[in-house]
Amino acid sequence: MNDTQARILALREQLDTYNEQYYVADAPTVPDVEYDRLMRELIALEQAHPEWLDSSSPSQKVGGAPVSAFPEVRHALPMLSLDNVFSDDELAAFEKRLHSRLGSDAPIEFCCEPKLDGLAVSLLYERGRLVQAATRGDGSTGEGITENVRTIKAIPLRLRGDDWPARLEVRGEVFMPSAGFERMNEAARACGDKVFANPRNAAAGSLRQLDSRVTAKRPLAFYCYGVGLVEGEPLGERHFDILQRLKGWGLPVSPEVKRMQGRAGCEQYHDDILHRRDRLPYEIDGVVYKVDELALQERLGFVARAPRWATAHKFPAQEELTR
Ligand SMILES: NC(=O)n1nc(-c2ccco2)nc1N
């Protein structure tokens, strides 16, 4: 390997690390101007040496030529929607149903998560490389939006480490943080472009761009919240621990995810997140409680399209709240 090749590999590794620090650890260590300088050097070296271009290079997050349509993608496992509860009484009924189906009143451990108000996506990694991304669609079939998703800096094109399964489907939410949403709409108003009604619509509109170079300019983020297809060793026995393993491979997980005990723990989590809702850097429309032990999830199964082992607890819509 000559000096230029070594420099290209070092720049890729350094920029991947900066992306992970910014989007996974939420702890950036370099100013944007330094990140941009290194990216410009990498792009210049790769343009001078196309024979060394690698689709997983961080320089490839700028998007490419437009496509005419999105291909259909059939999900290996259905992407489920969540059942809802709207009150503590309904939460109590949810817990009662769990105890009844499990035939035990033993306290249940839940993985509690903020319910991000974005767009659910499925990411397929083969041998640690991102090979496909798709929307949830109707739960069985979604749209292939791989080129658009590859431009999202929070989503790694290559997983860290090497103890990931040969094929791993990661599921999560693409969303637009509030600050980025305001900045983007401000710029759109200034030049007469389309203004989006809310961050969810802005994220959906950005992901459905046929020209991934447009998507690349949108301030999108991502948090994973589960897995679908896993080929190889099981990832773990408890949902919370699996999320921590995903984080170790460079996939962002919300720092608000917590393991709580029983219904009381869920209510405490709900009230804490509701209390801090307006200070979170992204919009949420509730919280999600998931039975943490996968063995219990399997015993509980699903009703129609929603898992018996999980429910969302929705907040009142913001405009309904008296300010
Ligand atoms: N939207 C959101 O934040 N979700 N959605 C799920 C989900 C949907 C189906 C199973 O889990 N989990 C979280 N945190």
Side-chain angles (χ1 to χ4, degrees), residues 3-21:
D3 290 355
T4 307
Q5 268 179 305
R7 179 64 181 156
I8 286 178
L9 292 181
L11 284 166
R12 286 177 183 161
E13 182 58 32
Q14 186 65 70
L15 288 160
D16 279 343
T17 300
Y18 287 157
N19 269 337
E20 188 177 338
Q21 286 168 351

Side-chain angles (χ1 to χ4, degrees), residues 306-319:
R308 277 204 188 91
W309 42 264
T311 186
H313 188 164
K314 299 290 280 281
F315 294 151
Q318 292 225 296
E319 54 277 2

Side-chain angles (χ1 to χ4, degrees), residues 43-308:
I43 289 171
L45 286 175
E46 286 179 342
Q47 281 172 345
H49 297 277
E51 69 278 17
W52 294 333
L53 197 51
D54 176 329
S55 65
S56 70
S57 168
S59 65
Q60 301 308 298
K61 286 193 162 293
V62 295
V67 295
S68 55
F70 297 118
E72 268 198 1
V73 168
R74 187 149 187 77
H75 299 301
L77 300 173
M79 283 186 77
L80 303 161
S81 53
L82 287 168
D83 213 356
N84 295 321
V85 299
F86 291 90
S87 70
D88 287 352
D89 287 350
E90 289 180 10
L91 177 58
F94 169 66
E95 184 195 43
K96 191 165 185 299
R97 285 196 303 276
L98 296 180
H99 281 151
S100 155
R101 288 199 70 88
L102 294 172
S104 153
D105 285 352
I108 296 170
E109 280 197 317
F110 291 94
C111 181
C112 298
E113 309 168 9
K115 188 170 180 303
L116 300 160
D117 197 7
L119 208 73
V121 294
S122 158
L123 309 177
L124 182 60
Y125 287 88
E126 287 182 349
R127 288 182 300 289
R129 283 172 175 259
L130 179 64
V131 295
Q132 180 183 271
T135 63
R136 179 178 169 281
D138 64 6
S140 302
T141 305
E143 290 173 314
I145 50 167
T146 309
E147 288 319 306
N148 289 349
V149 165
R150 291 174 69 85
T151 70
I152 301 174
K153 291 190 181 64
I155 293 178
L157 298 177
R158 268 178 309 146
L159 298 179
R160 290 262 176 223
D162 58 8
D163 59 336
W164 20 259
R167 291 185 86 210
L168 167 65
E169 183 197 356
V170 173
R171 293 176 172 183
E173 197 89 354
V174 170
F175 61 96
M176 190 176 289
S178 310
F181 170 71
E182 296 307 333
R183 260 198 323 272
M184 186 193 69
N185 262 359
E186 198 50 49
R189 268 188 282 276
C191 58
D193 275 352
K194 173 187 168 84
V195 172
F196 287 98
N198 56 55
R200 193 209 166 285
N201 290 3
S206 302
L207 276 181
R208 288 220 179 86
Q209 285 291 330
L210 291 171
D211 184 347
S212 57
R213 290 167 298 190
V214 173
T215 309
K217 297 189 179 76
R218 298 286 174 83
L220 294 173
F222 172 77
Y223 277 138
C224 53
Y225 55 60
V227 295
L229 173 78
V230 176
E231 276 182 13
E233 289 304 303
L235 299 187
E237 295 175 353
R238 303 170 77 182
H239 179 78
F240 179 87
D241 300 332
I242 289 172
L243 294 183
Q244 302 321 307
R245 283 195 73 185
L246 297 181
K247 184 169 182 177
W249 292 329
L251 288 153
V253 174
S254 167
E256 299 295 348
V257 172
K258 291 185 177 62
R259 201 176 354 233
M260 303 301 281
Q261 306 297 326
R263 173 159 58 94
C266 292
E267 287 171 359
Q268 179 190 334
Y269 181 83
H270 168 276
D271 297 348
D272 169 49
I273 297 287
L274 180 57
H275 178 68
R276 292 192 287 117
R277 179 186 193 181
D278 292 342
R279 277 169 283 152
L280 294 176
Y282 42 79
E283 292 200 354
I284 61 173
D285 58 350
V287 294
V288 181
Y289 313 126
K290 299 173 184 176
V291 170
D292 197 40
E293 281 188 58
L294 266 59
L296 297 184
Q297 289 187 10
E298 276 141 37
R299 284 171 56 194
L300 290 159
F302 308 92
V303 172
R305 315 187 70 73
R308 277 204 188 91

